[in-house]
Amino acid sequence: MSTAAAGLTLRTAEPLTREAFAPFGDVIQAEGAARHYTINGGNTERFHDLAAVEPGVDGRAIVSLFRGQPRALPFRVEMMERHPLASQAFMPLSGRPYLVVVAPPGAAPTAADLRVFLASAEQGVNYAPGVWHHPLLALDAVCDFLVVDRAGPGHNCDEVELPEALLIDLPR
């Protein structure tokens, strides 16, 4: 849902689903996983192959922790970034929902190109290579995320300022 006010577009976050997010990458979530099975003598349920981690040519996959500061809503999206060489996966660790803002790969996005998703505390995302996305958008409190992305040679982070900001909010 969008409305224009004072040169700004307002977009309300939509629920994060595998189908809606598919053009941008993978949703990482146990619920509805395609393959899962019991391991470790019946004590563990493995939810298998939930995201296509792509480290790119000459890259290697690394695991990091990111600590996101909470953002006040409504929030103005004024910039986006992308990683042209590899995917980047985020899995929340703090038990809190967060926002995901994305645009398709290709030319620098405008506010009209952006999709806004509300991710639950049990959902992670894996941005496909080249997908435009906003940096972490934690809500209400400081939140930690387990991040799987690329280390290696080459420039792997492009940032752009949007020609017009997008104002995002949660559904009421």
Side-chain angles (χ1 to χ4, degrees), residues 63-78:
V63 176
S64 305
L65 286 175
F66 286 20
R67 181 161 289 153
Q69 300 301 310
R71 308 293 183 112
L73 293 177
F75 178 77
R76 288 174 64 102
V77 175
E78 299 177 313

Side-chain angles (χ1 to χ4, degrees), residues 1 16 21 23 42 44 53 74 77-78 87 90 95 101 106 116 124 134 137-139 152 154 156 160 163:
M1 170 187 241
L16 180 65
F21 195 74
T44 303
V53 175
V77 175
E78 299 177 313
S87 62
F90 289 80
V101 180
V116 181
H134 193 277
L137 290 170
L139 300 171
N156 193 33
V160 296

Side-chain angles (χ1 to χ4, degrees), residues 2-164:
S2 296
T3 58
L8 267 183
T9 299
L10 173 64
R11 182 119 348 110
T12 302
E14 62 186 282
L16 180 65
T17 65
R18 282 179 170 68
E19 298 76 25
F21 195 74
F24 311 106
D26 308 301
V27 172
I28 303 169
Q29 181 178 12
E31 184 179 314
R35 286 185 58 200
H36 59 94
Y37 46 90
T38 304
I39 61 172
N40 297 336
N43 292 316
T44 303
E45 186 77 9
R46 178 179 177 144
F47 297 90
H48 186 71
D49 197 14
L50 298 176
V53 175
E54 300 176 34
V57 177
D58 296 326
R60 63 184 182 86
I62 61 170
V63 176
S64 305
L65 286 175
F66 286 20
R67 181 161 289 153
Q69 300 301 310
R71 308 293 183 112
L73 293 177
F75 178 77
R76 288 174 64 102
V77 175
E78 299 177 313
M79 63 81 67
M80 296 289 281
E81 68 178 29
R82 69 176 175 186
H83 304 285
L85 302 180
S87 62
Q88 189 178 44
F90 289 80
M91 192 68 203
L93 300 176
S94 299
R96 298 186 168 279
Y98 62 101
L99 289 173
V100 175
V101 180
V102 290
T110 67
D113 299 321
L114 304 184
R115 297 269 306 265
V116 181
F117 295 98
L118 177 60
S120 75
E122 294 80 32
Q123 294 177 305
V125 294
N126 182 48
Y127 300 120
V131 165
W132 291 100
H133 60 277
H134 193 277
L136 283 179
L137 290 170
L139 300 171
D140 302 324
V142 172
C143 293
D144 288 345
F145 292 80
L146 179 76
V147 178
V148 179
D149 63 350
R150 177 188 195 273
H155 176 77
N156 193 33
C157 186
D158 298 327
E159 293 183 359
V160 296
E161 295 292 321
L162 295 175
E164 174 186 309

